[in-house]
Amino acid sequence: MLDIKLVRNNPEVVARSIQNRGAAQDLDDFLKMEQQRRELTRKVQELKTRRNQASQEVALAKREGRDPDQALEGLSELSETIKELDGELKGLDRQVQEWLLTVPNIPAEDVPVGSSEEDNLEVRTWGEKPPMDFQPREHWDLGVELGGLDFEHAARMTGSRFVIYLGWGARLERALINFMLDVQTGEHGYQETMPPMIVNRESMTATGQLPKFAEDLFKLENWEYYLIPTAEVPLTNIHRGEILDEDRLPLAYAAFTGCFRSEAGSHGKDTKGIIRQHQFNKVELVRFAHPDDSFQQLDLLLGHAEEILKRLGLHYRVVSLCTGDLGFGAAKTYDIEVWLPGQGKYREISSCSNFTDFQARRGDIRYKPRQGKKSRLVHTLNGSGLAVGRALVAIIENCQQKDGSIVIPEVLRPYMGGMDQIRKQ
RNA sequence: GGAGAGGUGGCCGAGUCGGCUGAAGGCGCUCGCCUGCUAAGCGAGUAAGGGGGCAUAAACCUCCUUCGAGGGUUCAAAUCCCUCCCUCUCCGCCA
């Protein structure tokens, strides 16, 4: 959520942001409504001041044993008027709030302006495409043949976009989870966390999934509860409504969770394989940062995600998302795209964002500065560290051999009971 | 599921028959004093959000709102009534 004062005082900044993102938002109507709201606020406040003063008179008269009738004169009518206008004001307040909840964050200064992913900026690459003197196979082909992935039975028990990991597949998924968590918690200083995978409406609103993107979420029937689309939601909401000590910043949390997405509007996209599933595993990193250094924190976070791919020896590139491709709440986002030889493409395996104070304002997450007494909003950041299923895909496709076997990256072998290769039984 | 207790500032905790209680007292924190150092002691300050003064930022002044959430009674609600949510204790049941 944007600061209402910013919208009011610098509408041109907001207008440009909306335009660069390719969003549609009626700023003028809002400003008129907001103006109206403030006028009514003022009016109601004046009446309340009068009422409060008169009430004091009554109290004083009674305490001194005088007759309070004179002070009570016309008071109930005044109260009635206040009640009426207060109701009207409440309606306006709600409308203002609702509008603010649907406006995207303002992109950071150095975010490239553009309309689609074509305009994203490649920041760097790491490693190289593995040399292959044969036609590389796709993971849904090789993974199934080697018995690690089973789409058919998953489709029967649930439906499309679900998978069963079997044998080495399940083991490899678990190995990746443990490896990622060990690095992030043991070496990068993240607090290990196992949060709920079901959260309430307030939490979804704070991080920005609601109210605008309800159709992307799975909602529980008869409950105001939702399955999380990412652990960003529970982790960021750990401190919702809190005032943190400045000394404690930055706070860093890591969690492995399932993630659940309806994938509404992506029909026909990535229908094969485990790239786009309704349920997938992810190790997520979340940081609560001081506003003065949140962009340095973003670089740090990005490095933590990259480290996993480096140790797995997987070639990737980092891109800075342009304004048109930026997520709703993000001020700046780096995507890490891993090379997939089977598909012959780079595919997103991590997305690291600085949300500045956007989520903090929605979730009321602040800190108390050492100097000065006013509490300020923290900055929140998050990134995948990494998407586990896609990492598994990358390993299958990058580490495959001419004979149809897969060589397990060295760092994972201790997690695989020493296994170094996957081959057809 | 049954019975009971409770939700008040950064934290703990008081709040009498509704009326100078936005909230005693304590802890913590900040500043100052004192002090070889530390500790202790003394003094002062210390909730958030919003409106206006103010075109803008800070400071300041002032007003409004907020005592789990929502509604009601009343000139006036932390205090009375209703609904809901959450926490705790006991019993029952269960991974």
Side-chain angles (χ1 to χ4, degrees):
Chain A
M1 190 161 66
L2 300 182
D3 185 356
I4 191 163
K5 284 181 189 158
L6 176 82
V7 182
R8 195 156 68 207
N9 297 329
N10 305 82
E12 70 288 349
V13 171
V14 179
R16 193 180 38 174
S17 160
I18 290 169
Q19 197 199 338
N20 285 343
R21 279 174 169 275
Q25 218 61 249
D26 46 340
L27 192 53
D28 289 342
D29 283 356
F30 171 76
L31 290 171
K32 258 182 248 158
M33 174 169 71
E34 209 280 320
Q35 173 76 22
Q36 206 182 333
R37 180 186 70 105
R38 265 184 307 151
E39 276 163 19
L40 188 57
T41 301
R42 205 144 112 200
K43 194 164 159 193
V44 170
Q45 284 189 1
E46 268 168 35
L47 294 177
K48 282 185 176 172
T49 307
R50 260 169 54 199
R51 183 193 62 187
N52 290 348
Q53 281 168 352
S55 280
Q56 291 301 316
E57 284 296 313
V58 175
L60 197 69
K62 279 192 148 182
R63 202 169 321 122
E64 291 174 351
R66 286 186 283 117
D67 185 6
D69 279 4
Q70 199 183 337
L72 281 169
E73 182 87 30
L75 254 191
S76 64
E77 290 80 0
L78 179 61
S79 260
E80 215 37 57
T81 311
I82 288 173
K83 197 174 279 184
E84 227 167 84
L85 292 179
D86 238 352
E88 210 174 299
L89 182 59
K90 200 172 248 181
L92 274 175
D93 274 336
R94 209 183 47 238
Q95 282 181 58
V96 165
Q97 191 69 9
E98 275 167 11
W99 188 87
L100 281 172
L101 283 175
T102 61
V103 181
N105 199 0
I106 293 176
E109 288 297 320
D110 59 346
V111 169
V113 175
S115 56
S116 76
E117 61 180 287
E118 309 283 299
D119 302 312
N120 293 343
L121 184 74
E122 183 175 292
V123 175
R124 62 174 161 268
T125 63
W126 183 91
E128 283 170 17
K129 297 174 187 171
M132 286 181 175
D133 58 351
F134 56 96
Q135 179 61 43
R137 298 167 67 182
E138 313 228 31
H139 74 277
W140 60 77
D141 172 19
L142 187 55
V144 170
E145 184 181 293
L146 291 173
L149 300 175
D150 176 358
F151 296 99
E152 278 185 31
H153 290 94
R156 186 195 298 159
M157 77 174 65
T158 308
S160 66
R161 292 202 195 281
F162 287 89
V163 70
I164 303 168
Y165 292 100
L166 286 173
W168 65 263
R171 181 83 191 247
L172 187 54
E173 183 87 357
R174 179 159 60 92
L176 281 164
I177 292 163
N178 284 327
F179 166 64
M180 290 176 191
L181 274 179
D182 283 350
V183 173
Q184 304 302 2
T185 64
E187 299 180 40
H188 295 155
Y190 289 82
Q191 162 100 235
E192 186 162 349
T193 316
M194 265 203 204
M197 295 184 223
I198 298 176
V199 301
N200 61 28
R201 166 172 289 276
E202 288 72 29
S203 293
M204 284 294 185
T205 305
T207 35
Q209 281 73 22
L210 290 178
K212 228 182 165 180
F213 306 101
E215 70 281 3
D216 295 332
L217 301 171
F218 286 113
K219 181 175 186 295
L220 271 62
E221 204 170 2
N222 301 326
W223 294 73
E224 276 304 301
Y225 288 171
Y226 300 80
L227 298 185
I228 59 169
T230 158
E232 160 197 348
V233 178
L235 292 185
T236 305
N237 275 281
I238 289 175
H239 294 298
R240 176 153 56 85
E242 289 186 359
I243 300 174
L244 306 165
D245 284 336
E246 186 173 23
D247 304 341
R248 290 176 68 197
L249 299 177
L251 283 165
Y253 295 91
F256 154 67
T257 66
C259 301
F260 306 89
R261 299 184 181 179
S262 75
E263 295 297 340
S266 55
H267 300 295
K269 229 192 239 174
D270 302 312
T271 48
K272 277 187 154 179
I274 59 172
I275 289 284
R276 193 177 299 274
Q277 299 270 292
H278 287 305
Q279 173 189 331
F280 63 95
N281 295 317
K282 185 152 61 75
V283 169
E284 182 75 2
L285 308 174
V286 164
R287 301 181 76 84
F288 296 85
H290 192 286
D292 292 349
D293 80 334
S294 64
F295 285 97
Q296 283 100 290
Q297 294 283 317
L298 177 60
D299 291 339
L300 194 67
L301 173 66
L302 175 64
H304 294 156
E306 286 183 66
E307 183 62 24
I308 300 293
L309 286 172
K310 286 179 181 170
R311 294 202 195 178
L312 291 172
L314 296 170
H315 168 54
Y316 66 85
R317 65 174 187 179
V318 176
V319 299
S320 177
L321 298 194
C322 73
T323 51
D325 206 20
L326 210 56
F328 177 67
K332 183 175 183 176
T333 298
Y334 292 109
D335 273 5
I336 303 176
E337 299 179 340
V338 70
W339 173 249
L340 296 184
Q343 296 196 8
K345 280 188 208 157
Y346 290 96
R347 295 301 305 256
E348 176 188 339
I349 195 166
S350 175
S351 191
C352 300
S353 305
N354 184 359
F355 289 77
T356 60
D357 61 11
F358 186 84
Q359 294 179 326
R361 185 171 292 106
R362 290 171 159 245
D364 194 23
I365 310 169
R366 287 166 294 167
Y367 73 93
K368 195 82 165 173
R370 276 222 144 293
Q371 308 290 323
K373 44 187 179 172
K374 281 208 93 67
S375 57
R376 296 178 62 195
L377 295 167
V378 301
H379 283 191
T380 58
L381 301 92
N382 68 63
S384 356
L386 309 161
V388 183
R390 290 190 180 183
L392 186 130
V393 168
I395 288 169
I396 294 176
E397 297 200 6
N398 281 280
C399 305
Q400 61 180 304
Q401 309 296 304
K402 200 171 186 173
D403 65 0
S405 67
I406 297 164
V407 174
I408 295 171
E410 221 155 306
V411 291
L412 291 180
R413 292 178 194 170
Y415 295 94
M416 293 291 288
M419 190 194 266
D420 59 0
Q421 208 176 36
I422 298 155
R423 53 175 60 257
K424 203 164 179 184
Q425 298 297 316

